Amino acid sequence: MGQGNNSRVTEFALHGLSGPRELQLFYFVFFTLFYSSILLGNLLIVLTVLSEPALHTPMYFLLSNLSLYDVCLSTFATPKMIFDFLMEHNTISFEGCMAQIFFLHIFAGGEMMLLVAMAYDRYVAICRPLHYTAIMSIRKCAGLVVASWLVGFLHSASQLVFIVNLPFCGPNNVDSFFCDPPLVIKLACTDTYILEILIRLNTDILGTCCFVLLFISYTIILVTVQRRSSTGMAKARATLTAHITVVILFFGPSIFIYAWPFHNSTGDKILSIFYTIFTPLLNPIIYTLRNKEVISAMQKLRRQKLSS
């Protein structure tokens, strides 16, 4: 395994959801169904937005990109976790572990920024409706999406540079179903106290900035909606409810995991599963159940497929 006092760890042992063989098989079926639902639900939203001209608006363009982020966020580790339920020993190479860290933070960091872009879109639509078409466009939204990927990349690269050159000489047990910096850095055979603080600050600064921007945006929007009373505002309330629910589901687990000192616990493991598997599944449900336009477009798409 390449570990010892003078040798470098070449692989890590992942300790995700453990249990007897029967329970592992149940996990395999359960998470396979969940992951399949994530792909189906989110890709259906993307296909619906692409195929329905009425949905070719900035809001739905951003929503379709959120669905792509959710597919990516659930894919960086979930397929391996599902496969590992069938294996006796769950390991990942050092390179694979670093890749998971990179993709986790590029997708999570990018999605944070995309949620801010979606809040900005709603702010302009509700607080400055007469200027909406002049301020927001598909081209500007495409720029916001590219910016979200760039921020995610920079955030991920800065996380990885702290970890990739650390000496890992054992132990190599990661108490999770994927490699996450708070858990991996603890395994380095050197003092990592300063690095732990830097990694935490890196994530906290990005997360806090995004959360503050979201909080301010949605506070202003909610105040504006409360002051106005119309059919359009009733529709806006439904849309806002979906947006705010998604923000809470995304940021809630992340705050619990990264705002506290690094430690391994069952709670952290459950929260990790929540924001990498359950949140990407809930997002399409939240946005479609309360959105008549998306439901109508999906029904239209279904009729077209059945008639073709």
Side-chain angles (χ1 to χ4, degrees):
M1 190 176 294
Q3 66 182 56
N5 292 334
N6 298 313
S7 60
R8 183 179 179 86
V9 166
T10 58
E11 62 181 23
F12 294 95
L14 300 176
H15 298 280
L17 299 175
S18 58
R21 185 63 179 170
E22 293 77 10
L23 186 58
Q24 294 290 299
L25 291 175
F26 168 77
Y27 287 150
F28 172 79
V29 175
F30 180 77
F31 285 106
T32 297
L33 291 174
F34 255 82
Y35 181 62
S36 300
S37 300
I38 290 169
L39 295 181
L40 178 63
N42 284 289
L43 293 179
L44 180 59
I45 286 180
V46 174
L47 180 61
T48 301
V49 172
L50 288 175
S51 63
E52 177 52 58
L55 300 183
H56 292 175
T57 64
M59 183 180 79
Y60 291 110
F61 176 80
L62 294 174
L63 175 59
S64 64
N65 277 275
L66 178 66
S67 291
L68 287 176
Y69 266 118
D70 283 334
V71 169
C72 294
L73 188 59
S74 63
T75 300
F76 86 95
T78 305
K80 175 170 173 51
M81 179 190 73
I82 292 172
F83 179 75
D84 284 345
F85 287 133
L86 302 178
M87 306 298 292
E88 185 175 352
H89 302 290
N90 304 330
T91 60
I92 184 171
S93 67
F94 178 85
E95 293 76 13
C97 184
M98 296 302 106
Q100 281 194 344
I101 291 173
F102 176 78
F103 287 119
L104 165 64
H105 286 276
I106 193 173
F107 299 145
E111 185 161 336
M112 286 185 192
M113 293 302 300
L114 187 66
L115 290 172
V116 173
M118 294 175 72
Y120 175 69
D121 172 72
R122 291 301 84 204
Y123 164 78
V124 176
I126 294 172
C127 300
R128 303 184 65 185
L130 298 179
H131 302 89
Y132 182 76
T133 53
I135 296 175
M136 297 302 295
S137 64
I138 297 296
R139 182 177 180 180
K140 176 170 284 188
C141 288
L144 292 173
V145 171
V146 171
S148 74
W149 280 101
L150 179 60
V151 170
F153 174 81
L154 293 174
H155 167 63
S156 183
S158 63
Q159 290 278 310
L160 198 61
V161 74
F162 289 131
I163 301 172
V164 68
N165 291 318
L166 284 174
F168 293 95
C169 48
N172 68 335
N173 298 305
V174 178
D175 190 22
S176 181
F177 67 95
F178 65 89
C179 291
D180 201 11
L183 303 178
V184 175
I185 197 172
K186 282 291 191 181
L187 303 177
C189 47
T190 186
D191 183 11
T192 59
Y193 179 74
I194 300 299
L195 285 180
E196 289 179 22
I197 294 176
L198 291 174
I199 288 176
R200 190 187 308 170
L201 282 175
N202 180 286
T203 301
D204 287 352
I205 289 172
L206 176 62
T208 301
C209 289
C210 290
F211 188 78
V212 169
L213 288 172
L214 288 166
F215 181 81
I216 293 173
S217 299
Y218 284 120
T219 298
I220 296 173
I221 294 170
L222 287 172
V223 170
T224 303
V225 170
Q226 287 297 112
R227 289 178 177 175
R228 300 175 184 175
S229 178
S230 66
T231 304
M233 287 300 104
K235 180 180 177 182
R237 287 189 188 95
T239 304
L240 283 177
T241 301
H243 280 241
I244 294 172
T245 302
V246 167
V247 168
I248 293 172
L249 288 173
F250 183 84
F251 278 90
S254 301
I255 290 172
F256 276 104
I257 291 172
Y258 287 100
W260 305 105
F262 294 163
H263 56 85
N264 297 343
S265 69
T266 303
D268 286 350
K269 196 181 299 185
I270 294 172
L271 288 169
S272 296
I273 292 174
F274 188 86
Y275 81 80
T276 56
I277 299 177
F278 288 97
T279 300
L281 176 62
L282 291 173
N283 284 354
I285 296 174
I286 291 168
Y287 279 111
T288 56
L289 286 180
R290 299 178 63 89
N291 194 312
K292 294 180 180 179
E293 291 177 327
V294 175
I295 293 174
S296 176
M298 286 182 174
Q299 291 173 342
K300 180 180 177 181
L301 178 64
R302 178 174 176 271
R303 289 193 297 268
Q304 290 175 344
K305 294 299 180 182
L306 291 175
S307 61
S308 61

